[in-house]
Amino acid sequence: MSVKLGMGIARDALHVRSGWILSAFLAFGAVLAGVLQRVSGPAYAADRALVGATFGAAVPVFCYVAFGIVHRRAPTAALLDPFARHGADRRLLALGLFVALGIAAAVLAAFLGIVTVLAARLPSDPELARDLFACSWSGASIGAAYVGLFAVGSMWGQNGRLVLLFADFIFGSGSGVLALPFPRGHARNLLGGEPVLGMSQSSALLLLWLFAVLGVGLFARRVPR
Amino acid sequence: MSTAVLSLEALGGGALLRADARLEAGLWVAQSANPHALAALVALASGVETPARGRVLLDGVSPAGRPEVRARIAALLAAESLPPGRDVRTAVGRVLRARGDRRDAGAMLELIGMSGFARRPVIDLDAMERRALALGLALEHPTARLFALFEPFSAHHLLSPPEIQRRLEERARSSAIVLVATASPAVAALLGGAHLEIESGLLRPAVPRPPLGVPALLYVETPEAQRLVSAVASDAAVTGVFWNERETPRMVTLYGADLEALGHAVTRAAAAGSVPIDRIGHAPAATREVAPATSPATNAPPPLPASAIDPQAARPSDQSVAMPTSFAVPARPGSPEGT
């Protein structure tokens, strides 16, 4: 029951006009990025748009803003306490909250990936269907990983999430050991870009889901029941 | 169902410096002139706030870290809030689910007379309405072991004060602990008198106060309480006597218009009846455990009859008369000292 209550917190918070406007704006940005890349050079246009604008910028920003919409500048404990005082388990509430955010992020990231590919590839492109399928599950994995990252950041409130957003952009852009704990480099690897520490794409996929699970688990473990 | 037990062990936080008490099932009234201390007591005892010092145990288990214990606590805080939700009905539904209560939120609002709130946005309720809703939800908690309520009579909406009192007493009789925190002496009197008081941030058993019109009160500790009571009862300076033979067999409380006259009455009675006096003073000796208030009237001194209060009695002109801590028993006539 506490998990359902936690999911309800996120669902109610995200079901607001600002959330929809943000999603629409990001979708427009993804389409624009795809079109511009196709115009500048059809070869690998989808890859460039996905790695750069869509999964490199839009998805992390969406996740960060979504956390902000749900938390409303308050610590996560402030969301959980009104339920916990009546007998809900804070850990399960947090789990539900982040699972709902993870679902929202995964769905939106998959959607942004799909619209980016549709914009970057012509309908007659034989690789279109394969790309649509690949970027949908890749996008879902990347969205979930960012929720795990920001769940860890939520231990230190809004500032913690902001620090990790910048850290992901700075360190995740590399391919060395500093890029290892951030989703950006592994997302790039998953889309055919330079891998982190020479890892395979399967390892990158596994790590992204590990971020999602471990990040949420770390937060839930730290919060008192 | 076993009776509930609430233990406050060196509990402190906010305006409450320290509370040590063991409360068993029944109705308990905590009174103080400091509403912040009362609010802190309720918030800490109910597990809503984490104590800065000490701990609180309900049936031997702390509510911190134990959601199943918190689900058995119904609280009314000084400042109430509702969980977020589309509207009040949704928020109330979430409260019920958190408790493990499967009743419909709409039916619950109907039951507590607040169905008009159902479609209103949560943010729309003002502080009084939130407290009234919280009181209704607290009183309708089906399985609570502890009811910790801050000023419940100021939170009524459609429930009348007699109805609130009836429900509180009903809960107290059903093996639960009902802790009412109030700054109002009238509310405390309505519920049978205060059992606990908070003075300078410290929780302690309540000291019986003399009723209005009777300015002097004296506590006498003696092993021969019954003989003392018999001896002073006819003294003109003594307008009232309280002796709880079962709970405090050695403590006699005397009421009168003049403190010095009361003191002399005690010495006269002690001399005449050869009653040994162990202690005499303004306050009873401190006790750690407060006896359960199964019937509040048995613990509080009964109100004096109107005839005991003489409005024409001379009031002491000098209120700063020093109270002797011991009285020399005058020698009896015929003794070598009493010549």
Short mmCIF file of all heavy atoms in Angstrom, two decimals, chain A residues 81-128:
data_model
loop_
_atom_site.label_atom_id
_atom_site.label_comp_id
_atom_site.label_asym_id
_atom_site.label_seq_id
_atom_site.Cartn_x
_atom_site.Cartn_y
_atom_site.Cartn_z
N ASP A 81 6.61 12.45 4.93
CA ASP A 81 6.15 12.55 6.33
C ASP A 81 4.63 12.61 6.50
O ASP A 81 4.10 12.00 7.43
CB ASP A 81 6.81 13.74 7.02
CG ASP A 81 8.26 13.45 7.40
OD1 ASP A 81 8.65 12.26 7.38
OD2 ASP A 81 9.00 14.39 7.72
N PRO A 82 3.89 13.36 5.66
CA PRO A 82 2.43 13.39 5.85
C PRO A 82 1.79 12.01 5.74
O PRO A 82 0.70 11.80 6.29
CB PRO A 82 1.95 14.32 4.73
CG PRO A 82 3.11 15.18 4.43
CD PRO A 82 4.30 14.30 4.61
N PHE A 83 2.42 11.09 5.04
CA PHE A 83 1.89 9.74 4.95
C PHE A 83 2.46 8.86 6.07
O PHE A 83 1.76 8.04 6.65
CB PHE A 83 2.27 9.10 3.60
CG PHE A 83 1.68 9.80 2.42
CD1 PHE A 83 2.32 10.88 1.83
CD2 PHE A 83 0.47 9.39 1.88
CE1 PHE A 83 1.79 11.53 0.74
CE2 PHE A 83 -0.07 10.04 0.78
CZ PHE A 83 0.59 11.11 0.21
N ALA A 84 3.74 9.08 6.35
CA ALA A 84 4.42 8.25 7.35
C ALA A 84 3.80 8.42 8.72
O ALA A 84 3.74 7.47 9.50
CB ALA A 84 5.90 8.60 7.39
N ARG A 85 3.32 9.59 9.04
CA ARG A 85 2.76 9.81 10.38
C ARG A 85 1.51 8.97 10.60
O ARG A 85 1.17 8.66 11.73
CB ARG A 85 2.48 11.29 10.58
CG ARG A 85 1.09 11.72 10.28
CD ARG A 85 0.79 13.10 10.73
NE ARG A 85 -0.28 13.12 11.67
CZ ARG A 85 -1.06 14.16 11.85
NH1 ARG A 85 -0.84 15.25 11.16
NH2 ARG A 85 -2.02 14.13 12.73
N HIS A 86 0.84 8.61 9.53
CA HIS A 86 -0.38 7.80 9.67
C HIS A 86 -0.10 6.31 9.55
O HIS A 86 -1.04 5.51 9.61
CB HIS A 86 -1.40 8.22 8.61
CG HIS A 86 -1.92 9.61 8.79
ND1 HIS A 86 -2.77 9.96 9.82
CD2 HIS A 86 -1.68 10.74 8.09
CE1 HIS A 86 -3.03 11.25 9.74
NE2 HIS A 86 -2.39 11.75 8.70
N GLY A 87 1.16 5.94 9.36
CA GLY A 87 1.50 4.52 9.34
C GLY A 87 2.10 4.00 8.05
O GLY A 87 2.33 2.79 7.94
N ALA A 88 2.35 4.87 7.06
CA ALA A 88 2.99 4.39 5.83
C ALA A 88 4.48 4.21 6.06
O ALA A 88 5.08 4.89 6.89
CB ALA A 88 2.74 5.36 4.68
N ASP A 89 5.07 3.29 5.33
CA ASP A 89 6.51 2.99 5.44
C ASP A 89 7.26 3.96 4.50
O ASP A 89 7.04 3.95 3.28
CB ASP A 89 6.73 1.54 5.01
CG ASP A 89 8.16 1.08 5.23
OD1 ASP A 89 9.10 1.88 5.04
OD2 ASP A 89 8.35 -0.10 5.56
N ARG A 90 8.14 4.77 5.08
CA ARG A 90 8.84 5.77 4.27
C ARG A 90 9.66 5.14 3.15
O ARG A 90 9.76 5.71 2.05
CB ARG A 90 9.77 6.62 5.15
CG ARG A 90 9.07 7.62 6.02
CD ARG A 90 10.09 8.51 6.71
NE ARG A 90 9.45 9.43 7.65
CZ ARG A 90 9.18 9.13 8.91
NH1 ARG A 90 9.49 7.94 9.39
NH2 ARG A 90 8.60 10.02 9.68
N ARG A 91 10.26 4.00 3.42
CA ARG A 91 11.10 3.38 2.38
C ARG A 91 10.24 2.95 1.20
O ARG A 91 10.60 3.16 0.04
CB ARG A 91 11.85 2.18 2.96
CG ARG A 91 12.97 2.58 3.88
CD ARG A 91 13.70 1.41 4.44
NE ARG A 91 14.70 1.85 5.39
CZ ARG A 91 15.37 1.06 6.21
NH1 ARG A 91 15.14 -0.24 6.19
NH2 ARG A 91 16.25 1.55 7.04
N LEU A 92 9.11 2.36 1.49
CA LEU A 92 8.23 1.93 0.41
C LEU A 92 7.60 3.13 -0.30
O LEU A 92 7.38 3.09 -1.51
CB LEU A 92 7.15 0.99 0.96
CG LEU A 92 7.68 -0.33 1.53
CD1 LEU A 92 6.52 -1.17 2.07
CD2 LEU A 92 8.46 -1.11 0.49
N LEU A 93 7.33 4.18 0.46
CA LEU A 93 6.82 5.40 -0.17
C LEU A 93 7.85 5.94 -1.16
O LEU A 93 7.51 6.32 -2.29
CB LEU A 93 6.54 6.48 0.88
CG LEU A 93 5.29 6.35 1.74
CD1 LEU A 93 5.31 7.37 2.87
CD2 LEU A 93 4.03 6.52 0.91
N ALA A 94 9.12 6.00 -0.72
CA ALA A 94 10.17 6.51 -1.58
C ALA A 94 10.32 5.62 -2.81
O ALA A 94 10.51 6.10 -3.93
CB ALA A 94 11.50 6.58 -0.82
N LEU A 95 10.22 4.32 -2.59
CA LEU A 95 10.34 3.39 -3.71
C LEU A 95 9.24 3.66 -4.73
O LEU A 95 9.49 3.76 -5.93
CB LEU A 95 10.23 1.95 -3.18
CG LEU A 95 10.39 0.84 -4.20
CD1 LEU A 95 11.79 0.86 -4.78
CD2 LEU A 95 10.10 -0.52 -3.56
N GLY A 96 8.01 3.80 -4.24
CA GLY A 96 6.90 4.10 -5.14
C GLY A 96 7.08 5.41 -5.87
O GLY A 96 6.82 5.53 -7.07
N LEU A 97 7.55 6.42 -5.13
CA LEU A 97 7.76 7.74 -5.72
C LEU A 97 8.75 7.66 -6.87
O LEU A 97 8.50 8.17 -7.97
CB LEU A 97 8.28 8.69 -4.63
CG LEU A 97 8.68 10.09 -5.05
CD1 LEU A 97 7.45 10.91 -5.38
CD2 LEU A 97 9.46 10.79 -3.95
N PHE A 98 9.89 7.01 -6.64
CA PHE A 98 10.92 6.96 -7.67
C PHE A 98 10.58 5.99 -8.79
O PHE A 98 11.00 6.19 -9.94
CB PHE A 98 12.28 6.62 -7.04
CG PHE A 98 12.79 7.69 -6.13
CD1 PHE A 98 13.29 7.38 -4.88
CD2 PHE A 98 12.76 9.03 -6.50
CE1 PHE A 98 13.76 8.37 -4.02
CE2 PHE A 98 13.22 10.02 -5.66
CZ PHE A 98 13.72 9.69 -4.41
N VAL A 99 9.84 4.95 -8.48
CA VAL A 99 9.40 4.06 -9.56
C VAL A 99 8.48 4.82 -10.52
O VAL A 99 8.60 4.70 -11.74
CB VAL A 99 8.70 2.82 -8.98
CG1 VAL A 99 7.89 2.10 -10.05
CG2 VAL A 99 9.71 1.86 -8.38
N ALA A 100 7.58 5.61 -9.96
CA ALA A 100 6.68 6.41 -10.81
C ALA A 100 7.47 7.41 -11.64
O ALA A 100 7.20 7.60 -12.83
CB ALA A 100 5.65 7.13 -9.94
N LEU A 101 8.45 8.06 -11.01
CA LEU A 101 9.31 8.99 -11.77
C LEU A 101 10.09 8.23 -12.84
O LEU A 101 10.28 8.72 -13.95
CB LEU A 101 10.27 9.70 -10.83
CG LEU A 101 9.71 10.91 -10.09
CD1 LEU A 101 10.60 11.36 -8.96
CD2 LEU A 101 9.48 12.07 -11.06
N GLY A 102 10.55 7.04 -12.49
CA GLY A 102 11.30 6.23 -13.46
C GLY A 102 10.44 5.85 -14.65
O GLY A 102 10.90 5.88 -15.79
N ILE A 103 9.20 5.49 -14.39
CA ILE A 103 8.29 5.14 -15.48
C ILE A 103 8.05 6.35 -16.38
O ILE A 103 8.09 6.25 -17.61
CB ILE A 103 6.96 4.59 -14.93
CG1 ILE A 103 7.19 3.24 -14.26
CG2 ILE A 103 5.92 4.47 -16.04
CD1 ILE A 103 5.99 2.71 -13.51
N ALA A 104 7.82 7.49 -15.75
CA ALA A 104 7.58 8.72 -16.52
C ALA A 104 8.80 9.06 -17.37
O ALA A 104 8.69 9.40 -18.56
CB ALA A 104 7.24 9.87 -15.59
N ALA A 105 9.99 8.95 -16.76
CA ALA A 105 11.23 9.28 -17.48
C ALA A 105 11.48 8.29 -18.61
O ALA A 105 11.89 8.68 -19.70
CB ALA A 105 12.40 9.29 -16.50
N ALA A 106 11.24 7.02 -18.34
CA ALA A 106 11.48 6.00 -19.37
C ALA A 106 10.53 6.19 -20.55
O ALA A 106 10.95 6.12 -21.72
CB ALA A 106 11.28 4.60 -18.76
N VAL A 107 9.28 6.45 -20.25
CA VAL A 107 8.30 6.64 -21.33
C VAL A 107 8.64 7.88 -22.16
O VAL A 107 8.62 7.85 -23.39
CB VAL A 107 6.88 6.74 -20.74
CG1 VAL A 107 5.89 7.24 -21.78
CG2 VAL A 107 6.43 5.41 -20.18
N LEU A 108 8.96 8.98 -21.46
CA LEU A 108 9.26 10.20 -22.20
C LEU A 108 10.54 10.06 -23.00
O LEU A 108 10.62 10.50 -24.16
CB LEU A 108 9.38 11.39 -21.24
CG LEU A 108 9.62 12.68 -22.04
CD1 LEU A 108 8.30 13.31 -22.44
CD2 LEU A 108 10.46 13.67 -21.28
N ALA A 109 11.56 9.43 -22.42
CA ALA A 109 12.83 9.26 -23.13
C ALA A 109 12.64 8.39 -24.37
O ALA A 109 13.18 8.67 -25.45
CB ALA A 109 13.88 8.65 -22.20
N ALA A 110 11.85 7.33 -24.22
CA ALA A 110 11.57 6.47 -25.37
C ALA A 110 10.83 7.27 -26.44
O ALA A 110 11.14 7.17 -27.65
CB ALA A 110 10.75 5.26 -24.94
N PHE A 111 9.87 8.07 -26.02
CA PHE A 111 9.09 8.89 -26.96
C PHE A 111 9.99 9.90 -27.67
O PHE A 111 9.91 10.07 -28.89
CB PHE A 111 7.97 9.60 -26.20
CG PHE A 111 7.23 10.61 -27.02
CD1 PHE A 111 6.36 10.22 -28.03
CD2 PHE A 111 7.40 11.97 -26.79
CE1 PHE A 111 5.68 11.15 -28.79
CE2 PHE A 111 6.71 12.91 -27.55
CZ PHE A 111 5.85 12.49 -28.55
N LEU A 112 10.85 10.56 -26.92
CA LEU A 112 11.77 11.54 -27.52
C LEU A 112 12.72 10.85 -28.51
O LEU A 112 13.02 11.40 -29.57
CB LEU A 112 12.57 12.27 -26.44
CG LEU A 112 11.80 13.23 -25.54
CD1 LEU A 112 12.73 13.87 -24.51
CD2 LEU A 112 11.10 14.30 -26.36
N GLY A 113 13.16 9.66 -28.15
CA GLY A 113 14.03 8.91 -29.07
C GLY A 113 13.30 8.60 -30.37
O GLY A 113 13.86 8.76 -31.47
N ILE A 114 12.06 8.20 -30.24
CA ILE A 114 11.27 7.84 -31.43
C ILE A 114 11.04 9.06 -32.32
O ILE A 114 11.24 9.01 -33.56
CB ILE A 114 9.93 7.21 -31.01
CG1 ILE A 114 10.18 5.81 -30.44
CG2 ILE A 114 8.95 7.15 -32.18
CD1 ILE A 114 8.99 5.18 -29.76
N VAL A 115 10.66 10.17 -31.75
CA VAL A 115 10.39 11.37 -32.58
C VAL A 115 11.68 11.90 -33.19
O VAL A 115 11.68 12.44 -34.31
CB VAL A 115 9.65 12.48 -31.80
CG1 VAL A 115 8.31 11.98 -31.32
CG2 VAL A 115 10.46 13.01 -30.67
N THR A 116 12.79 11.73 -32.49
CA THR A 116 14.07 12.18 -33.03
C THR A 116 14.44 11.35 -34.26
O THR A 116 14.85 11.88 -35.30
CB THR A 116 15.20 12.05 -32.00
OG1 THR A 116 14.85 12.81 -30.84
CG2 THR A 116 16.53 12.54 -32.54
N VAL A 117 14.29 10.05 -34.15
CA VAL A 117 14.60 9.17 -35.28
C VAL A 117 13.66 9.45 -36.45
O VAL A 117 14.08 9.49 -37.61
CB VAL A 117 14.53 7.69 -34.84
CG1 VAL A 117 14.60 6.77 -36.04
CG2 VAL A 117 15.66 7.38 -33.87
N LEU A 118 12.39 9.63 -36.16
CA LEU A 118 11.43 9.92 -37.23
C LEU A 118 11.77 11.23 -37.94
O LEU A 118 11.55 11.37 -39.15
CB LEU A 118 10.01 10.01 -36.65
CG LEU A 118 9.37 8.69 -36.25
CD1 LEU A 118 8.04 8.92 -35.54
CD2 LEU A 118 9.17 7.78 -37.48
N ALA A 119 12.33 12.17 -37.17
CA ALA A 119 12.70 13.45 -37.78
C ALA A 119 14.04 13.34 -38.53
O ALA A 119 14.26 14.03 -39.54
CB ALA A 119 12.81 14.52 -36.71
N ALA A 120 14.92 12.49 -38.06
CA ALA A 120 16.27 12.40 -38.63
C ALA A 120 16.35 11.45 -39.82
O ALA A 120 17.27 11.53 -40.63
CB ALA A 120 17.27 11.96 -37.57
N ARG A 121 15.42 10.51 -39.91
CA ARG A 121 15.44 9.57 -41.02
C ARG A 121 14.22 9.77 -41.91
O ARG A 121 13.14 10.06 -41.41
CB ARG A 121 15.45 8.13 -40.50
CG ARG A 121 16.78 7.70 -39.91
CD ARG A 121 16.76 6.21 -39.60
NE ARG A 121 17.99 5.76 -39.01
CZ ARG A 121 19.09 5.44 -39.70
NH1 ARG A 121 19.12 5.55 -41.00
NH2 ARG A 121 20.17 5.03 -39.06
N LEU A 122 14.41 9.56 -43.19
CA LEU A 122 13.30 9.64 -44.12
C LEU A 122 12.42 8.40 -43.97
O LEU A 122 12.91 7.34 -43.58
CB LEU A 122 13.81 9.73 -45.56
CG LEU A 122 14.56 11.03 -45.90
CD1 LEU A 122 15.21 10.92 -47.27
CD2 LEU A 122 13.61 12.22 -45.86
N PRO A 123 11.15 8.50 -44.29
CA PRO A 123 10.26 7.34 -44.16
C PRO A 123 10.70 6.14 -45.01
O PRO A 123 10.42 5.00 -44.68
CB PRO A 123 8.90 7.88 -44.62
CG PRO A 123 8.98 9.35 -44.42
CD PRO A 123 10.42 9.72 -44.65
N SER A 124 11.42 6.44 -46.08
CA SER A 124 11.83 5.35 -46.95
C SER A 124 13.11 4.67 -46.48
O SER A 124 13.58 3.70 -47.07
CB SER A 124 12.07 5.90 -48.37
OG SER A 124 13.03 6.95 -48.32
N ASP A 125 13.70 5.18 -45.43
CA ASP A 125 14.96 4.64 -44.92
C ASP A 125 14.77 3.20 -44.44
O ASP A 125 13.92 2.93 -43.60
CB ASP A 125 15.44 5.53 -43.77
CG ASP A 125 16.89 5.27 -43.40
OD1 ASP A 125 17.30 4.09 -43.40
OD2 ASP A 125 17.61 6.24 -43.11
N PRO A 126 15.55 2.25 -44.98
CA PRO A 126 15.38 0.84 -44.57
C PRO A 126 15.76 0.61 -43.10
O PRO A 126 15.34 -0.39 -42.50
CB PRO A 126 16.31 0.08 -45.50
CG PRO A 126 17.32 1.08 -45.96
CD PRO A 126 16.62 2.40 -45.98
N GLU A 127 16.58 1.50 -42.52
CA GLU A 127 17.00 1.33 -41.12
C GLU A 127 16.00 1.94 -40.12
O GLU A 127 16.23 1.87 -38.92
CB GLU A 127 18.36 2.02 -40.91
CG GLU A 127 19.49 1.47 -41.78
CD GLU A 127 19.87 0.05 -41.39
OE1 GLU A 127 19.93 -0.23 -40.17
OE2 GLU A 127 20.07 -0.78 -42.29
N LEU A 128 14.94 2.51 -40.64
CA LEU A 128 14.02 3.26 -39.76
C LEU A 128 13.42 2.39 -38.68
O LEU A 128 13.47 2.71 -37.50
CB LEU A 128 12.92 3.92 -40.61
CG LEU A 128 11.90 4.74 -39.81
CD1 LEU A 128 12.56 5.93 -39.15
CD2 LEU A 128 10.76 5.22 -40.74
#
